[in-house]
């Protein structure tokens, strides 16, 4: 790969297709499975799903981690209640992740900033390079499942993650609005082009439960997620409700307190990766 690679293969004359572009994991770290959490657009709850899955898998007894690849818009530290903490490093350039209360290991750009509200004014290739460093320079230790919270879209960072990290599968996050169908299809097609397995779809903001009769109210109308899943042969792993409990837990940094029973099918699907080579 060219030294100044921008990961835009369409405008590159180098013949990299036969080369292994994967980055080397930090010495002493062992990450068994890497799961990307993606969406074609922002605002659908990708970081929420990432945090919920990592916390749920940790509750199931697995050693889990989150690599927050959303460099310019990180929200993982807030979800786990560690936004005031900083990632420590040593003289050899090794960075140590922050641990949540329940032991989920986290690495996010906000852990490296003086103030969490400081903006990161970097261009795409520099951001992509930082994401790769979260893999190569962070001492993750022994991890069963690492979840990578991707920024929205199909640009530099998703390309870097798919090319540089040994991604075992992705979870695509959507919401019920009709517009999202096009966005989901973009994510599905990108995964196909990059030869990354799709574990399934998760629909966020799927419904609201009436507090009196328990009826599911479809705030955004009837979803077409099942139709998309059928068309592409992808399972629907979860439909997450709009809930005050979820919102309060995220805002207060207490995502690990949520039971997340609606993610049971997703957890089983991810656990099945342990049986595959």
């Amino acid at each position: 790969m060219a030294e100044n690679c921008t990961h835009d293969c369409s405008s590159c004359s180098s013949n990299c297709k036969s080369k292994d572009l994967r980055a080397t994991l930090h010495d002493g770290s062992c990450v068994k499975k890497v799961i990307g959490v993606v969406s074609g657009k922002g605002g659908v709850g990708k970081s929420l799903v990432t945090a919920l899955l990592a916390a749920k898998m940790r509750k199931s007894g697995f050693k889990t981690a989150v690599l927050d690849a959303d460099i310019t818009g990180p929200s993982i530290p807030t979800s786990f209640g560690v936004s005031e903490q900083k990632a420590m490093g040593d003289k050899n350039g090794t960075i140590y992740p922050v641990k949540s209360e329940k032991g989920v290991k986290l690495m996010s750009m906000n852990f490296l900033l003086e103030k969490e509200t400081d903006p990161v004014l970097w261009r795409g290739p520099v951001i992509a390079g930082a994401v790769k460093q979260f893999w190569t320079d962070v001492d993750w230790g022994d991890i069963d499942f690492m979840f990578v919270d991707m920024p929205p879209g199909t640009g530099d960072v998703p390309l870097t993650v798919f090319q540089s990290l040994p991604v075992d599968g992705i979870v695509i996050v959507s919401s019920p609005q009709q517009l999202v169908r096009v966005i989901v299809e973009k994510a599905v097609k990108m995964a196909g082009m990059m030869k990354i397995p799709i574990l399934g779809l998760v629909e966020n903001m799927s419904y609201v439960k009436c507090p009196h009769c328990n009826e599911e109210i479809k705030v955004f109308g009837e979803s077409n997620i099942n139709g998309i899943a059928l068309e592409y042969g992808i399972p629907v792993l979860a439909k997450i409700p709009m809930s005050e409990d979820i919102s309060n837990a995220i805002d207060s940094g207490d995502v690990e307190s949520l039971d997340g029973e609606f993610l049971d099918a997703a957890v089983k699907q991810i656990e099945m990766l342990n049986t595959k080579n």
Side-chain angles (χ1 to χ4, degrees), residues 1-14 16 21 123-132 154-164 190 194:
M1 183 170 64
E3 183 179 353
N4 296 318
C5 178
T6 64
H7 308 284
D8 181 8
C9 299
S10 63
S11 62
C12 181
S13 60
S14 299
C16 299
L21 304 179
R123 296 192 183 276
V126 180
I127 293 173
V131 171
K132 190 184 292 188
T154 56
D156 285 318
V157 171
L159 279 171
T160 295
V161 171
F162 288 161
Q163 290 179 334
S164 303
M190 180 183 185
M194 303 298 294

Side-chain angles (χ1 to χ4, degrees), residues 38 49 170-175 180 183-185 187-188 198-204 223-240 262-263 265-266 269:
V38 308
V49 172
I170 64 170
V171 173
I172 299 176
V173 183
S174 71
S175 58
V180 174
I183 305 304
V184 170
E185 288 182 353
V188 169
I198 301 174
L199 302 179
L201 304 175
V202 171
E203 183 177 77
N204 187 35
S223 165
N224 62 355
I225 193 73
N226 291 328
I228 298 173
L230 182 62
E231 180 177 347
Y232 287 99
I234 304 168
V236 176
L237 300 178
K239 293 185 177 182
I240 302 177
F262 39 76
L263 287 173
Q269 185 78 357

Side-chain angles (χ1 to χ4, degrees), residues 31-35 57 60-64 143-146 168 199 267-277:
V31 179
K32 298 181 179 67
K33 299 295 177 182
V34 178
I35 314 298
M57 295 295 290
S60 298
F62 295 100
K63 288 168 282 190
T64 62
I143 299 296
D144 294 316
F145 293 98
M146 173 182 283
D168 295 281
L199 302 179
V267 167
K268 288 181 180 178
Q269 185 78 357
I270 293 169
E271 286 179 350
M272 287 174 60
L273 290 173
N274 270 340
T275 64
K276 301 177 182 179
N277 295 327

